[in-house]
Amino acid sequence: MTDNTILKVSGLAVSFPSARGTLRAVRGISYDLRSGETLGIVGESGSGKSVSSFALMGLLKPGAIVEGSGIFEGSDLLTMSRRDLETIRGRDIAMIFQDPLSSLDPCFTVSRHLVETLQAHRTITKQQAEKEAEDMLRSVGIRNASQVMRQYPFELSGGMRQRVMIAIALLCKPRLLIADEPTTALDVTVQDQILKLLKTLRDQSGTSMVFITHNFGIVARLCDRVIVMYGGRIMERAAMRQIFESPVHPYTRALLSAIPRMDDDKSIPLPTISGQPHDPHSDDEGCPFRERCPLAFEKCAVMPEEVFIEKDHSAACWLAGKEAGLE
Ligand SMILES: Nc1ncnc2c1ncn2[C@@H]1O[C@H](COP(=O)(O)OP(=O)(O)OP(=O)(O)O)[C@@H](O)[C@H]1O
Ligand code: SF4
Ligand SMILES: [Mg+2]
């Protein structure tokens, strides 16, 4: 682990036993997050993006089988006690989700959410917590903060609720923020405002970020590096520019070639590519993309190792760096 690595995920695998057999959502992923950087995780629905982050945060329901490690500032999130994890969660690592309503308690005012978050992690009077909470609402762009403090989640618009979630997430000045599609449910204008806000707050605080998204436009705007996931595995990883300028993996190439214009940074949703998505119940150990890959050949029945094309740029494909002009 280099000195500035804040999170090191190694061999993370998550499976869910079910009546249909074991569903293998994440099949051994490893990545490093450096302090202050934003790592994008992209991939189509069901590729294991959310489950991998939920597993690290201890947020999966009982029954999920989690293997591997997730070292955050020297401690393994996957083996530490529930109590230690709860202390870290919300204080050192915070998460924001696609649907803020599901993470806000409908019976609590905005004020109560914020004040309880502060009081759970710091010794602070209610009065001081209320002041800090209101200040935080203002810093996430809520002008009528004192009024919003008294409101319930259902009284707020989707964009406002997401601002409240961001305020809760940033209240204890976390060193790592995991954002799971935080703008997907919002209309394009509000989405744009929330992204600008996150970017500004991140730049001011130097918070490291994992940003899960379906949208390559967001990757281009926000991320330093990108991981492309498919079938619970990492297909390619690269610096933001490399992924757009010289994608190597056939899956990444298929995604990017289906996007009409890369210079439109407003909204570039993940395109659909032909063929059936990978079956998470499959116990096939070959390349998960091979049913849809135009370049598949016999060797692809075995999962390839990741090959480094250059520093910080690797792909898990038998052809990476070798044949068919994939270099
Ligand atoms: N609690 C659960 N129990 C059983 N299977 C689950 C559970 N949560 C997720 N899965 C399955 O795990 C796989 C990965 O799901 P995950 O939510 O990580 O996908 P994702 O990449 O985040 O997709 P999306 O872009 O749609 O959010 C999917 O097949 C999903 O159905
Ligand atoms: S390993 Fe084979 S099937 Fe998988 S992406 Fe590469 S060429 Fe295609
Ligand atoms: Mg998800």
Side-chain angles (χ1 to χ4, degrees):
M1 193 187 298
T2 55
D3 281 341
N4 70 348
T5 301
I6 186 165
L7 175 69
K8 185 176 182 61
V9 175
S10 305
L12 178 65
V14 184
S15 50
F16 300 97
S18 79
R20 269 191 67 200
T22 304
L23 186 154
R24 293 167 64 204
V26 181
R27 299 181 179 223
I29 66 167
S30 303
Y31 65 84
D32 287 355
L33 178 70
R34 298 163 197 155
S35 186
E37 84 170 342
T38 298
L39 177 73
I41 304 185
V42 290
E44 63 192 42
S45 193
S47 55
K49 306 182 298 295
S50 298
V51 166
S52 54
S53 298
F54 274 55
L56 290 173
M57 298 296 287
L59 293 174
L60 293 173
K61 297 211 172 77
I65 301 164
V66 181
E67 293 160 87
S69 63
I71 311 292
F72 173 73
E73 296 185 335
S75 309
D76 189 356
L77 298 168
L78 299 184
T79 54
M80 68 176 56
S81 69
R82 192 134 279 276
R83 201 174 166 170
D84 287 347
L85 188 57
E86 274 163 17
T87 306
I88 285 181
R89 209 163 55 205
R91 186 190 66 184
D92 304 323
I93 310 179
M95 241 183 129
I96 46 176
F97 307 93
Q98 178 174 339
D99 175 15
L101 257 196
S102 64
S103 0
L104 294 168
D105 189 320
C107 306
F108 288 5
T109 58
V110 168
S111 169
R112 184 154 170 199
H113 281 96
L114 289 153
V115 167
E116 288 197 353
T117 303
L118 274 171
Q119 289 185 322
H121 295 292
R122 275 171 50 197
T123 310
I124 184 169
T125 63
K126 186 156 180 260
Q127 206 179 18
Q128 180 61 21
E130 279 172 348
K131 187 185 172 306
E132 289 191 24
E134 205 172 308
D135 288 347
M136 181 49 90
L137 287 182
R138 279 196 199 92
S139 67
V140 298
I142 297 178
R143 280 190 217 102
N144 52 341
S146 58
Q147 184 192 332
V148 170
M149 285 280 278
R150 294 191 298 275
Q151 289 184 302
Y152 289 88
F154 69 88
E155 297 180 282
L156 306 172
S157 67
M160 200 66 125
R161 278 199 288 266
Q162 199 53 287
R163 283 178 197 266
V164 169
M165 275 310 296
I166 295 170
I168 294 170
L170 299 181
L171 206 51
C172 296
K173 303 189 173 54
R175 291 188 292 288
L176 169 59
L177 178 66
I178 301 178
D180 189 352
E181 314 247 14
T183 60
T184 309
L186 305 172
D187 72 49
V188 177
T189 317
V190 183
Q191 186 169 350
D192 192 54
Q193 291 166 359
I194 297 287
L195 285 176
K196 279 199 183 110
L197 170 69
L198 277 172
K199 195 168 191 291
T200 308
L201 296 172
R202 177 202 64 185
D203 293 346
Q204 282 166 358
S205 62
T207 308
S208 311
M209 231 154 79
V210 173
F211 206 104
I212 298 171
T213 179
H214 270 93
N215 191 312
F216 272 112
I218 293 179
V219 170
R221 273 173 78 166
L222 222 60
C223 300
D224 301 302
R225 286 189 303 133
V226 194
I227 283 174
V228 180
M229 281 188 74
Y230 185 80
R233 298 186 193 266
I234 294 176
M235 298 286 103
E236 183 159 4
R237 70 181 82 216
M240 189 274 281
R241 254 178 202 293
Q242 288 167 323
I243 213 85
F244 291 117
E245 288 171 5
S246 46
V248 163
H249 198 282
Y251 176 59
T252 318
R253 288 183 160 203
L255 288 177
L256 289 168
S257 66
I259 292 173
R261 278 178 44 160
M262 289 314 306
D263 55 348
D264 172 7
D265 71 352
K266 284 284 185 289
S267 177
I268 311 174
L270 209 64
T272 43
I273 49 177
S274 60
Q276 288 297 311
H278 183 252
D279 175 7
H281 287 96
S282 164
D283 50 18
D284 186 284
E285 289 298 341
C287 171
F289 189 54
R290 77 182 189 284
E291 297 297 321
R292 298 163 94 180
C293 179
L295 303 172
F297 61 117
E298 303 91 74
K299 218 172 168 183
C300 308
V302 175
M303 181 65 202
E305 296 278 323
E306 255 184 281
V307 175
F308 276 84
I309 299 106
E310 51 187 311
K311 189 176 176 289
D312 282 346
H313 188 179
S314 66
C317 172
W318 286 113
L319 299 176
K322 283 189 187 144
E323 299 156 49
L326 280 175
E327 220 162 346

